[in-house]
Amino acid sequence: MFIALFARSPERDARDIISPQRLAACFSPEMPTDKEGQWASARAVMAGSLIWNTAPSCAEAVPEIDRESGRVMLSWARLDNRRELCAQLGLETGDGLSAPQILLAAYERFGADCSERLDGDFSFVIFDPSDQSVVCARDIMGAR
């Protein structure tokens, strides 16, 4: 699960609206998680939680931050076409990569339309601090 708040106005600091810890507290206390994390800037406050359900999910970062671009991603994803995506993206293998890492690479290569190339159950949000843009997507069934 994840929750994110974005301030549209540059005069408003998103952290003044809600702290990352308070946003994370919005997750149901009855649902234990395996990993939680938060990230905040003047324009965005993001919080996520993860329940490990696959071997690759145990290695996921919450949130996932792309080292090169600085993009911040929260996701809830099961990718059924991991190998095909990795081949299209020139990644060695999909087995050692987390879903967020593959999603960030897909966004880097295909842009906001990357979700059209995904098979599986997914929802994600990407915040790009360089241009203050936000991209949100979910699978066609809206399962996540």
Side-chain angles (χ1 to χ4, degrees):
M1 283 190 279
F2 60 86
I3 302 172
L5 176 125
F6 304 98
R8 293 176 61 183
S9 170
E11 294 84 35
R12 186 90 191 252
D13 191 315
R15 295 166 294 194
D16 291 339
I17 299 168
I18 192 166
S19 72
Q21 295 78 17
R22 178 106 187 231
L23 191 64
C26 294
F27 294 121
S28 173
E30 292 83 30
M31 179 183 249
T33 61
D34 294 310
K35 188 183 261 187
E36 294 180 0
Q38 302 96 31
W39 184 90
S41 72
R43 297 297 296 274
V45 178
M46 303 167 73
S49 67
L50 180 64
I51 298 171
W52 296 328
N53 57 1
T54 63
S57 71
C58 296
E60 286 186 27
V62 182
E64 185 71 48
I65 301 174
D66 184 79
R67 289 181 185 170
E68 290 182 28
S69 68
R71 292 182 184 118
V72 182
M73 168 184 256
L74 287 171
S75 65
W76 193 10
R78 188 198 76 239
L79 298 175
D80 296 336
N81 63 334
R82 293 171 68 90
R83 292 197 189 283
E84 296 89 347
L85 264 174
C86 287
Q88 290 175 5
L89 297 168
L91 301 174
E92 282 189 31
T93 177
D95 293 336
L97 298 172
S98 68
Q101 291 169 326
I102 296 168
L103 290 169
L104 279 167
Y107 179 75
E108 176 69 29
R109 171 98 183 268
F110 303 118
D113 295 331
C114 67
S115 62
E116 296 174 10
R117 298 173 182 266
L118 307 176
D119 289 331
D121 295 337
F122 62 88
S123 62
F124 64 83
V125 60
I126 299 172
F127 176 70
D128 190 336
S130 68
D131 63 3
Q132 306 297 303
S133 63
V134 177
V135 174
C136 303
R138 68 176 185 150
D139 63 87
I140 195 165
M141 295 300 289
R144 300 202 184 246

